[in-house]
Amino acid sequence: MSTPRQATAVAASNIALVKYWGKRDLELNLPATGSISVTLDKLISRTTVTFDAGLDGDKVLLNGEQDPTKAARVLRFLDLVRRTYGVQERARIVSVNDFPTGAGLASSASGFAALALACDAALGLGLSRDELSVLARRGSGSAARSFIAGFAEMHAGDEADGTDAHAIDLAPPTQLPLRVLVAITTRSEKAIGSTEGMRLTEATSPFYGAWLDATRADLDRMRAAIKNSDLELVGTIAEGNCLRMHGTMLSTEPALLYWNAATVALMHAVRALRAEGLGAWFTIDAGPQVKVLCDAHDAAAIQARLAEVPGVEAVISAAPGPGAHVIEAGA
Ligand code: 2P0
């Protein structure tokens, strides 16, 4: 019997400064527009994959739990890897997040980036970073961005097969003195996942076309703002783009309302901080947590203020960080 093939990879979450909300192809998971993100140095997934001919089925352990619903996406991804690269063995996957389980923090970006890289290393596929980004995208669109250190741009691509829909470097982690303060407002899971939410938006929102046009314009503005190391402009564009995305979500039928009371209180708190002269801008994804962008020098003071907002359970301070990387390969 052949020796099991094993590798471990780590990848961090990334926060979109210009968001991805809409697909041009569901099967290949191709985004309708590009997006721009910053990879963090916190909120990390560590994933070990072992392809083993001795296994009679795939085994998936996510944060110490065997959850069939969450495992289903991982199993589909494993089947894709086997189909694409002619692999026969079943696999054991053990993935843990360094943030609290069930914290209501999205883990699909870090999780699928770490999984794609661990599969590549275990099987010795030798994929390029672009190819890894394309592969991870099939698991989750945002995962394609977590291979890039610091600031990344995801390309929507033109090719029908999706080979040019991957992330590229925009700027290194040191480009801006940025901190991302992640304010956790609830630990429960979101009601409607991103894939289903996007499908509903594409099908029903009268604003969907305008959202895509505005996002394309935001990409040009954001790229320039990052290149110029203009944190105030980065924050301003990110907050506006986030609000346009949520406006579009709210105009979906049924309406996608991802906010709770503390989410809204945090938005007001950030605006109050700005009125006081502190540089702080919010961004919110498909869930109730609020990510606040600010200068590293102001981060401690702003973190303390956010922690006082009613309904806030914790505030995690993160900086721009490295891309996904392998930490162990070999049986
Ligand atoms: C983003 N989000 O750009 C946007 C903003 C959420 C709101 O990418 O369907 O879990 O698996 O490709 O990557 C979250 O969506 O969606 C996401 P799928 P994913 O970060």
Side-chain angles (χ1 to χ4, degrees):
M1 193 171 282
S2 57
T3 319
R5 299 190 279 175
Q6 178 173 309
T8 300
V10 294
S13 296
N14 67 77
I15 302 299
L17 304 171
V18 176
K19 310 282 189 193
Y20 144 57
W21 193 257
K23 300 180 197 275
R24 69 179 170 94
D25 184 295
L26 192 60
E27 175 60 27
L28 293 173
N29 203 27
L30 295 171
T33 67
S35 53
I36 290 177
S37 62
V38 57
T39 301
L40 303 181
D41 67 347
K42 301 261 174 65
L43 309 182
I44 288 167
S45 296
R46 176 192 169 108
T47 302
T48 300
V49 58
T50 312
F51 287 92
D52 186 343
L55 291 170
D56 55 8
D58 293 322
K59 310 253 181 293
V60 179
L61 206 61
L62 301 175
N63 290 309
E65 282 178 33
Q66 277 181 307
D67 178 331
T69 314
K70 287 183 187 155
R73 269 179 93 173
V74 174
L75 294 175
R76 277 201 303 276
F77 186 83
L78 266 181
D79 284 338
L80 170 75
V81 169
R82 275 192 288 257
R83 213 166 50 237
T84 308
Y85 301 105
V87 176
Q88 305 298 330
E89 301 107 296
R90 298 279 140 187
R92 182 170 47 251
I93 290 171
V94 179
S95 189
V96 288
N97 297 328
D98 78 340
F99 44 97
T101 308
L105 290 165
S107 56
S108 64
S110 54
F112 278 104
L115 177 58
L117 188 54
C119 286
D120 174 62
L123 297 169
L125 300 175
L127 298 181
S128 68
R129 200 182 55 171
D130 291 357
E131 289 167 331
L132 284 165
S133 179
V134 164
L135 177 62
R137 189 201 72 227
R138 299 290 296 274
S140 193
S142 52
R145 302 185 304 233
S146 278
F147 293 92
I148 310 289
F151 298 86
E153 177 162 5
M154 175 73 190
H155 286 312
D158 298 314
E159 302 292 339
D161 65 2
T163 46
D164 59 348
H166 60 76
I168 60 158
D169 285 300
L170 265 193
T174 51
Q175 181 76 7
L176 287 165
L178 176 69
R179 290 294 177 273
V180 180
L181 305 173
V182 182
I184 298 170
T185 64
T186 178
R187 295 182 184 272
S188 57
E189 303 278 334
K190 63 189 168 208
I192 300 183
S194 294
T195 304
E196 173 63 1
M198 287 187 217
R199 192 190 65 74
L200 288 169
T201 299
E202 292 155 18
T204 67
S205 169
F207 300 163
Y208 181 60
W211 153 249
L212 297 182
D213 289 342
T215 299
R216 291 183 187 111
D218 285 343
L219 288 169
D220 292 338
R221 296 164 67 212
M222 182 61 81
R223 211 179 292 121
I226 292 170
K227 290 266 190 275
N228 292 329
S229 303
D230 187 338
L231 182 57
E232 180 169 2
L233 193 53
V234 166
T236 304
I237 298 166
E239 190 175 297
N241 178 263
C242 153
L243 287 169
R244 279 187 283 284
M245 179 181 76
H246 283 274
T248 310
M249 290 164 159
L250 290 168
S251 72
T252 292
E253 290 181 22
L256 301 172
L257 175 57
Y258 286 111
W259 305 341
N260 59 30
T263 314
V264 177
L266 280 160
M267 293 157 79
H268 284 293
V270 168
R271 289 162 61 116
L273 286 165
R274 277 212 300 275
E276 291 172 24
L278 273 171
W281 301 269
F282 62 78
T283 185
I284 305 162
D285 294 298
Q289 327 302 1
V290 178
K291 292 96 181 186
V292 177
L293 311 172
C294 65
D295 190 291
H297 288 108
D298 302 328
I302 293 174
Q303 184 174 8
R305 288 283 292 275
L306 299 177
E308 287 170 2
V309 173
V312 171
E313 297 194 6
V315 184
I316 299 167
S317 179
H325 49 281
V326 175
I327 55 171
E328 200 181 345

